[in-house]
Amino acid sequence: MTPPLSATDLYHTGIVVPDIEAWKARMTEVAGHHWTETMTGDLQVRLADGERALRLRYAYSLDAPHIELVQEIPGTPWTAAERIATHHLGYFCDDVPTTSKRLEEAGFPLEACAIVDGSPSVFAYHLDPSGVRIEIVDRARIPDFDAYLRSKAPTWQ
């Protein structure tokens, strides 16, 4: 059986934090990371308790392996742990609905996903009962990740 994901498509580790700017500064201080600007996206998201509009705020490290810092949104899957820890592993995929279905069949229930025209799209989160969370992201949205990061880098870096 072909696995639903490919190890070579892992492109970031996500961490949910209570303050993105503070954590960008902290990770720069301790590890020398450079960052994209903090980005914001308004999306319709399906959660366990229904659909709602959320404003997601996030930034990526420009240095590989890439870290994604995500601003906490209490009462959603984007809630910072008491002791900040890895929130998710991010993989590119070619077909979010199909890959999402295959992850569910592999024992990773759907936790949240973006909705476009009533269907799962853009990204989806799947949470294994043990607590390992996988994010899948539509590769077509960011076909050249390095170019995308460079386009989001502050001009002073």
Side-chain angles (χ1 to χ4, degrees):
M1 181 175 123
T2 304
L5 301 172
S6 172
T8 59
D9 286 331
L10 176 63
Y11 73 102
H12 78 271
T13 299
I15 304 170
V16 174
V17 296
D19 182 331
I20 287 178
E21 301 310 320
W23 275 98
K24 283 167 65 174
R26 182 85 171 123
M27 293 303 293
T28 297
E29 174 187 320
V30 301
H33 285 284
H34 297 91
W35 299 93
T36 64
E37 294 288 347
T38 298
M39 297 169 270
T40 302
D42 294 318
L43 286 171
Q44 190 69 19
V45 176
R46 181 176 295 151
L47 302 171
D49 60 354
E51 290 184 22
R52 53 195 234 206
L54 292 178
R55 173 163 285 181
L56 299 174
R57 295 186 66 235
Y58 55 95
Y60 286 100
S61 67
L62 296 172
D63 318 287
H66 299 288
I67 296 171
E68 177 191 34
L69 297 178
V70 182
Q71 180 66 48
E72 176 177 43
I73 305 173
T76 74
W78 297 277
T79 300
E82 182 179 330
R83 295 185 184 268
I84 295 175
T86 299
H87 181 263
H88 66 270
L89 300 173
Y91 290 82
F92 282 124
C93 72
D94 295 316
D95 182 339
V96 170
T98 299
T99 304
S100 184
K101 184 175 188 268
R102 293 191 64 212
L103 282 168
E104 286 187 287
E105 291 167 354
F108 280 79
L110 178 66
E111 180 182 30
C113 63
I115 300 296
V116 176
D117 297 328
S119 299
S121 182
V122 184
F123 72 88
Y125 281 88
H126 288 264
L127 183 61
D128 178 80
S130 70
V132 174
R133 181 180 284 115
I134 291 176
E135 177 189 25
I136 55 173
V137 176
D138 182 354
R139 182 187 328 272
R141 298 278 176 163
I142 311 173
D144 184 339
F145 190 62
D146 289 332
Y148 171 78
L149 292 177
R150 285 190 305 275
S151 76
K152 304 298 182 184
T155 56
W156 48 268
Q157 283 197 57

